[in-house]
Amino acid sequence: MRPGGDETCPLCGAPGPFETVVDIRKRRDRVCGQCRLIFAEASFLPAPEAEKQRYAKHRNGLDDAGYVAFMKQALAPALPFLKPQMRGLDYGCGHTPILHLLLKEAGLRCENYDPFFFPEWPDGTFDFLFAIEVVEHFHHPATEWPRMIALLKPGGVLTVMTAPWENLESFRTWGYASDETHVVFYHRQTLEWIFEQDGFEEMDRRNPRVSVLRKR
């Protein structure tokens, strides 16, 4: 269960009551009127073993051209801000880390962390960090965002990729919510709230799914 159950927003801490919306999986989700986060009710959060089994089914490899192209959506806008001497981290890399291989081809170093498949907590801080299709899995975003951001040095580059929701009508049939491990959904205003709270300057957002930011 989330601390406080569903009575407070798990991101900004705003008190309920919250509007309820039913998603494509027939889960009950709550909508925070303050930060605009949509979050699955605590009773719908998957258990850790169920999450791991779901992630293990992902087919992520260099031989999958579609997946590589998907990853490059996040990589391409970040590359102009990265330099060979930098130390990077793929946060939530999954069972088959591909990003560090793509970065290696570009002459960049990248380490891997994943709570299920590469669970050793990273040592030290990093010059850049990628969180590609990760933050929508956070059960406790108010603690998980700061924990992740603390790994980034001041002046470091953060690249976040997640699909933002746009309106409640389309959310009800949104395919992005069909993955049972996607449990929090960010509006563009939600992401802007996070970036402002945590002291980030946004440098590239041409792709609505991708934000490239610099930590102040």
Side-chain angles (χ1 to χ4, degrees), residues 98-127:
I98 297 300
L99 182 64
H100 84 284
L101 297 177
L102 298 175
L103 284 164
K104 186 177 181 180
E105 291 176 357
L108 297 160
R109 295 182 299 142
C110 183
E111 299 174 29
N112 298 309
Y113 168 73
D114 188 280
F116 294 106
F117 303 104
F118 293 81
E120 184 175 352
W121 188 247
D123 181 33
T125 53
F126 296 83
D127 300 294

Side-chain angles (χ1 to χ4, degrees), residues 61-83:
L62 281 177
D63 57 344
D64 186 334
Y67 181 70
V68 171
F70 180 76
M71 295 292 283
K72 286 183 175 179
Q73 288 186 69
L75 180 58
L79 278 178
F81 305 103
L82 308 183
K83 298 177 181 178

Side-chain angles (χ1 to χ4, degrees), residues 122-140:
D123 181 33
T125 53
F126 296 83
D127 300 294
F128 65 87
L129 187 152
F130 283 84
I132 300 177
E133 297 293 303
V134 170
V135 298
E136 64 274 7
H137 301 277
F138 286 172
H139 289 202
H140 308 282

Side-chain angles (χ1 to χ4, degrees), residues 115-187:
F116 294 106
F117 303 104
F118 293 81
E120 184 175 352
W121 188 247
D123 181 33
T125 53
F126 296 83
D127 300 294
F128 65 87
L129 187 152
F130 283 84
I132 300 177
E133 297 293 303
V134 170
V135 298
E136 64 274 7
H137 301 277
F138 286 172
H139 289 202
H140 308 282
T143 56
E144 291 176 88
W145 271 94
R147 188 169 184 252
M148 177 178 73
I149 289 168
L151 292 168
L152 193 63
K153 295 177 182 178
V157 177
L158 173 65
T159 303
V160 177
M161 182 172 176
T162 190
W165 69 274
E166 296 182 358
N167 60 74
L168 293 182
E169 188 58 39
S170 61
F171 178 82
R172 292 177 173 87
T173 56
W174 194 26
Y176 199 65
S178 66
D179 186 328
E180 65 270 26
T181 64
H182 290 183
V183 295
V184 289
F185 306 92
Y186 304 84
H187 192 273

Side-chain angles (χ1 to χ4, degrees), residues 10-51:
L11 176 62
C12 72
F18 303 104
E19 182 177 356
T20 299
V21 60
V22 177
D23 65 32
I24 196 169
R25 291 187 61 84
K26 307 305 180 186
R27 295 180 302 190
R28 293 186 305 276
D29 302 291
R30 306 292 185 94
V31 186
C32 177
Q34 178 165 296
C35 71
R36 305 202 72 185
L37 184 78
I38 294 180
F39 56 99
E41 289 187 3
S43 61
F44 291 98
L45 297 179
E49 188 55 37
E51 277 195 280

